[in-house]
Amino acid sequence: MAPLPNAELVQTSLQLYRYLLRCCKQLPEENIRQHYRHAVRQSFRVHADEEDPERIKQIIKRAIEDADWVMNK
């Protein structure tokens, strides 16, 4: 089960970024939301220069799986 509907439609890094920030809005406590928003932004910056399409797909898949884990935690 994905944290938000349409996780399977995420195909670009920008779509992933928006998707993950929307997931953060659903977290119960403000300090937890801030922590994960910061983590999403940092990860986006770290991988901003990634050009390999296969690697980008791997990153997107892993990020959605991680978001699913956080939302179900």
Side-chain angles (χ1 to χ4, degrees), residues 30-61:
E30 182 59 30
N31 61 343
I32 295 171
R33 286 191 294 270
Q34 288 178 355
H35 170 78
Y36 283 108
R37 272 195 309 260
H38 178 72
V40 167
R41 289 181 180 125
Q42 288 296 98
S43 293
F44 187 77
R45 288 184 191 119
V46 167
H47 297 291
D49 61 343
E50 188 65 56
E51 294 179 1
D52 180 24
E54 195 58 40
R55 176 70 178 132
I56 292 170
K57 287 180 184 177
Q58 290 174 347
I59 292 169
I60 290 171
K61 182 177 183 282

Side-chain angles (χ1 to χ4, degrees), residues 5 17-18 22 26-28 38 51 59 62-63:
Y17 183 72
R18 289 176 179 163
R22 278 188 241 117
Q26 293 186 349
L27 294 171
H38 178 72
E51 294 179 1
I59 292 169
R62 178 61 192 255

